[in-house]
Structure formats: C-alpha cells, structure tokens
Amino acid sequence: MSNSAPEDEITIPPKSKRLRHENEEDKLSDLPDCVILHILSFLNAKEVVRTCILSKRLNNFWKRSPNLVLHSTDFTTFKSFTKFVSKILSLRDGSIALQALDFERVGSIEPHLLKRIVNYAFSHNVQRLGISVKGDICHILPCISSCRTLTSLKLSVSPKGRHNYGRTLFPKSLDLPALTSLHLGNFAFCASDKGLTEPFSAFNKLNSLVIDNCTVKDAQILCISSETLVNLTMRNHSSDLYKIELSAPSLCTFAFTGTPYQKLCGSNLSSVKQVNIDAEMLSNYTEPPLVLLSWLLEFANIKSLTVSASTLQVLSLIPDLLKDKLTSLCNLKSLKVQLKPLSYGLSMTLRTAKLQKEVKAGSEPSSPIPDGIVDFLIQNSPSAEVDIIDCSRFGGSFDYLPPFPVSSIFPQFLQPSSRESVVDDLRQRIQQLEQAVLQVQQYIQLAHEEISREREEMSAIQGHMSMLSKTLAALKRQMQTMGLWQ
C-alpha cells in the first residue's frame, strides 16, 4: 500500500493554482508543530488529510494528528468511507498516542471494521472514544471494558431495521477507572438479584452522565448512584414506567428532554442548583405525566429553572394544578421559558383536552404559555427573574395550513383505555385506526380524481389553443398571398 495520503477522497487543485500559492508567503508553515496540531484537532479526518496540499511542511502532518473524527456523512458512498478509514488506520503514525476517536456510521456497519477501529483506538491508549453506529456492538464491549486510559466514552447504538426498537444490553461490569464522562444511547440496563439495576456505581470518577433513550430490563428501579457526578442529562421518548433513584450528593445540573413518565426520587439532592426540562407527550398516551410535578418537589433548592413552553402545557394538564400550594422552589432566582413549536403528540393531546371541555375542535391553545402557570412556579420566589426566550425555528411559515381534523376522524382512539383486557382494547383501537386509514385513502382518491379532471381540462384547453394558433397562422399566410395582410 502506498504511503501517500488517501487521495481518492481529496480534491487536488490545478497546477496553476498550486504554483501561484507556492509563490505566496507561507505563514502557516512558520507555526510551531504544537499549534498546527491543535488547529488540526478541530477538523474531521477528511479535512485533516486535505491540509497536506497546503504546503510541503504539512505533507505528513495528518499522520500525526492526535484526534480522529470519522463520520460517514462526510463521504458520498459507504465504499469510499470504508476505504478512507482503512487507509487512515494503516498510514497513521503508530508512535503517536490517540487522544480522541469519534466514529459515526449512518447505517449498518461490518463487525470486522468496527472491531478493527476499536482495537486500533485501544492499542494507541485512546482517552476519549465515541461510537455511533447501527447494529450489534456486543463483540466490541469486552474490548471497551478493559481500557484503563479511557476518560470519556460515548456509545450510541441504533437497532437494525426500520421499525426495530430493541436496545443493546449494557454490561453489568465495566473496568474503566479513569472514566469521567459517559454518554449512552439505546441501552437496556439489566436487573441484579435485588430487582434493581445500578450500572454506574463502579465509576468512581464519573463527572458527567448522559442517558439517551435507555430503559431497564427485568427491573423496576434504575439507581444512579455516584459521589462525584456533577451533570446528569436524560432523554426519553417512551412511556416505559419505572422508578429512578438518585443518590448524587455532588449533582449540580439536571436536564431532561422527552416524555416524563418515570417516577424520580432521590437523597442528597440539595446540591442541585440548575434544572432544565423540555417535556413532551405521546400522541396515543392521553394521561398527563403527573410525576412531572413531583420532580419539581424533589429539586427543592434549585436556583435556576429552564422549561420549554411544552413543559408548561404538560403541567397545565394536571387536574386542579393551580389550586395546589407548591412546597418547593423557594430559592429560585431565575425562571426561563423557551418558546418553540409544539410536537405532534402534545398538540393532539391538547386538542383532545379542549374537546373534552367542549371548546371548539381543532383550535390551538390561545397562548403558548398557559394562564397562571408561571405565577404558580414562582409563588414561593416572587422576586425571581422571568425570561421568555423565543426559540421557534419555523416562525409563522406554516400558519396557513389548516389543522388536520384527527379528533373528528377517530375521537375514541384518543381516549385513555378503560378496559381490563389490553388485547381487546388494542384490537378495537386497531379497527378504529383501520377505519381512519380508509377514510383518508378515500379523501386522497377524491383529490387524485379532482386533479385528473383539472389536468384533462388543461390538456383540452392547450389543444384548442394549438388549433387556434395553427388556424390563425394559416389565415395570415393566405391573406399575405392575396396581398391583404402586411
């Protein structure tokens, strides 16, 4: 294999431009090696390799880069991406320690390629490792569990198949004594003999933890126990019901995004000072997550609270909320409300709630912030500063679209189940959905027929215009022949 840069994915400038650049002053080559390598650390691997054409001195700098960012989205085909990765691993200077490797493949990946990447990283004493792939990674977990130099680990595993929502089982034991940052995506934590799972207690230096779309298996309680944990972020978009027990005396920041159906309780949470919540609801789950209010009771001593408008809408669905006396948030200094478009699921839930109150069907909430909800949150801290932040990405570009009358198509489907038999309830809901699908298909068919009629009329008009144009041209020629037309 050639020792040259993997140029199959590099655009080499024309000779004329390269000669012109060579005649110009080369300030980049005058920089110290450490500065150049630091600059290269901000680039992905493909861009790093391309720097070899900038000057003769930089010809081999890409081989010494301590960071590797390998993302398949930077390449046009998976074949070119695989070829590039193989060349990088083969030609990189093996004497240089690897500080960070970030590998991301959108789509399935061959197990042998993934294992080669992980083995290369660990053989070069990698400190920060990120793996985001689709498929099974069980064959690389034993390698990861024995890396004693790892300080930061991100594992995000999407299941194979378009409609497969399975999760990878998280190992019960990982020997990562230097780990300070952990990010997990799409994992299931297995229960111990006590019926609970405590996957993070062995990480004695853990500072930051992100749990993204994870759940528990054969357990009812997820224990997050850490003496050193400072930042905790959770994202969840399922209705899995389990209890989260927090024991983190050093925790300062808690952030949550998704559907809050998990009960949260903890001890030694007085250290938490900042909480960020962006709550949503599933379209087929009309019972509001009552536990959301209990979360605010657990974080009693926070000074900063950031919530989305959707979080306030979810809170407003709790029956008689404004009549209750809030027993927490007495030390609140700042309340920030982020305005952004509501999700489909929450919009459907709010419309259904309005129907139940005999309000006009299909109408949107009169305000993105429900009346009285802000005052409810700051009732024990009236001097707290309130900021309303517009985070809308779409503005009013979709305001002209009429609301889709889902509630009038299958109102019963949007109601909570009152049947004892789950199977019978699911069958009835499926039948209701099938009826809705048939009605939508009929609507689409009528629309197609209308469009076809309009196309036929347009074609006929175009045909008449063509005949009139030909007739007019023939009349003009005849009149010109007779000298009656100039």
Side-chain angles (χ1 to χ4, degrees):
M1 182 178 291
S2 172
N3 288 328
S4 61
E7 294 185 352
D8 54 303
E9 287 295 331
I10 298 175
T11 302
I12 304 297
K15 287 186 177 181
S16 58
K17 292 185 178 181
R18 295 174 70 186
L19 289 174
R20 185 166 61 251
H21 290 166
E22 290 176 358
N23 294 329
E24 296 175 355
E25 185 179 359
D26 184 7
K27 296 182 179 180
L28 185 60
S29 296
D30 295 335
L31 296 175
D33 287 6
C34 61
V35 174
I36 295 178
L37 291 173
H38 181 69
I39 294 173
L40 296 182
S41 68
F42 294 96
L43 306 177
N44 62 51
K46 185 177 179 180
E47 293 170 335
V48 170
V49 174
R50 281 177 168 169
T51 60
C52 69
I53 65 175
L54 298 179
S55 71
K56 292 181 179 180
R57 184 179 172 219
L58 296 180
N59 189 42
N60 290 313
F61 257 82
W62 64 272
K63 297 180 181 181
R64 299 164 52 194
S65 177
N67 299 336
L68 282 180
V69 179
L70 300 167
H71 291 178
S72 62
T73 52
D74 296 326
F75 297 80
T76 55
T77 65
F78 179 57
K79 183 178 180 181
S80 61
F81 173 63
T82 303
K83 185 177 180 181
F84 181 87
V85 171
S86 298
K87 282 193 173 184
I88 282 287
L89 299 183
S90 300
L91 301 178
R92 185 179 177 274
D93 189 344
S95 64
I96 304 297
L98 189 60
Q99 295 180 5
L101 189 148
D102 182 8
F103 181 84
E104 182 177 301
R105 159 64 178 149
V106 178
S108 301
I109 183 173
E110 292 81 356
H112 69 88
L113 177 60
L114 182 58
K115 190 169 185 178
R116 181 186 176 190
I117 293 168
V118 173
N119 286 337
Y120 181 89
F122 292 148
S123 65
H124 289 77
N125 299 321
V126 67
Q127 299 177 26
R128 302 187 301 276
L129 176 66
I131 301 289
S132 299
V133 295
K134 176 180 286 189
D136 185 13
I137 66 164
C138 293
H139 59 291
I140 67 169
L141 290 178
C143 303
I144 294 176
S145 64
S146 59
C147 183
R148 305 185 67 83
T149 62
L150 209 56
T151 61
S152 176
L153 175 63
K154 176 183 178 181
L155 291 177
S156 181
V157 188
S158 301
K160 284 186 176 181
R162 186 175 180 181
H163 303 292
N164 186 350
Y165 299 99
R167 294 180 176 91
T168 301
L169 296 180
F170 188 72
K172 290 186 178 181
S173 61
L174 285 178
D175 186 17
L176 304 173
L179 194 69
T180 60
S181 177
L182 179 62
H183 183 149
L184 299 175
N186 296 294
F187 278 89
F189 305 116
C190 299
S192 63
D193 297 335
K194 299 180 182 179
L196 54 84
T197 177
E198 195 171 2
F200 313 113
S201 58
F203 305 134
N204 297 323
K205 295 184 178 181
L206 192 62
N207 178 273
S208 176
L209 175 62
V210 178
I211 304 175
D212 192 351
N213 194 34
C214 296
T215 188
V216 297
K217 180 178 175 60
D218 302 326
Q220 297 299 321
I221 301 177
L222 170 62
C223 294
I224 302 177
S225 177
S226 173
E227 295 289 331
T228 59
L229 186 63
V230 175
N231 303 306
L232 174 61
T233 299
M234 301 186 71
R235 304 187 187 101
N236 179 60
H237 292 87
S238 72
S239 56
D240 295 341
L241 300 177
Y242 56 90
K243 185 178 180 180
I244 302 172
E245 287 188 355
L246 275 178
S247 178
S250 301
L251 190 64
C252 291
T253 302
F254 173 81
F256 179 87
T257 300
T259 52
Y261 290 106
Q262 296 74 36
K263 185 177 180 180
L264 181 67
C265 63
S267 58
N268 299 324
L269 295 182
S270 59
S271 61
V272 180
K273 303 304 179 186
Q274 181 176 346
V275 171
N276 305 327
I277 301 177
D278 183 8
E280 297 288 353
M281 283 188 65
L282 302 176
S283 59
N284 60 341
Y285 206 95
T286 55
E287 286 292 334
L290 303 179
V291 297
L292 183 56
L293 179 59
S294 68
W295 287 16
L296 298 178
L297 299 178
E298 290 292 338
F299 299 112
N301 297 321
I302 63 174
K303 294 184 178 181
S304 175
L305 175 62
T306 300
V307 293
S308 62
S310 61
T311 303
L312 301 183
Q313 294 288 352
V314 172
L315 281 173
S316 70
L317 294 173
I318 299 177
D320 300 323
L321 173 70
L322 301 182
K323 297 180 181 179
D324 295 335
K325 176 67 177 179
L326 191 62
T327 59
S328 63
L329 305 184
C330 298
N331 300 320
L332 198 63
K333 302 297 183 183
S334 171
L335 173 62
K336 296 180 180 180
V337 180
Q338 297 178 338
L339 303 181
K340 62 179 183 177
L342 299 180
S343 68
Y344 169 80
L346 183 55
S347 297
M348 289 293 95
T349 302
L350 293 173
R351 292 179 183 182
T352 304
K354 280 185 168 291
L355 284 174
Q356 293 174 347
K357 296 179 181 179
E358 299 181 351
V359 180
K360 184 179 178 182
S363 60
E364 293 292 342
S366 57
S367 170
I369 302 177
D371 294 337
I373 198 74
V374 171
D375 292 335
F376 172 79
L377 293 176
I378 63 172
Q379 60 182 276
N380 295 325
S381 300
S383 61
E385 183 179 353
V386 178
D387 292 325
I388 310 298
I389 305 171
D390 188 1
C391 301
S392 175
R393 294 177 297 169
F394 303 108
S397 58
F398 295 100
D399 291 345
Y400 69 93
L401 294 176
F404 185 69
V406 177
S407 53
S408 63
I409 293 179
F410 48 103
Q412 295 179 357
F413 182 78
L414 294 175
Q415 302 302 320
S417 172
S418 59
R419 293 172 171 264
E420 295 181 359
S421 174
V422 177
V423 175
D424 291 342
D425 181 62
L426 285 175
R427 286 174 178 169
Q428 181 173 350
R429 291 175 183 237
I430 289 173
Q431 291 175 357
Q432 293 167 355
L433 275 179
E434 288 176 343
Q435 294 175 2
V437 170
L438 288 176
Q439 292 188 26
V440 173
Q441 288 177 342
Q442 292 175 359
Y443 174 81
I444 294 174
Q445 181 62 33
L446 291 174
H448 280 312
E449 293 176 358
E450 184 67 25
I451 292 173
S452 297
R453 283 194 295 270
E454 291 181 356
R455 286 178 176 174
E456 290 176 357
E457 292 177 0
M458 182 61 67
S459 179
I461 292 174
Q462 289 176 343
H464 287 306
M465 286 292 296
S466 178
M467 291 179 61
L468 286 173
S469 297
K470 292 179 180 179
T471 302
L472 181 60
L475 287 173
K476 285 182 178 180
R477 287 196 299 271
Q478 186 175 3
M479 293 180 69
Q480 287 174 348
T481 303
M482 298 173 60
L484 300 176
W485 184 264
Q486 296 289 331

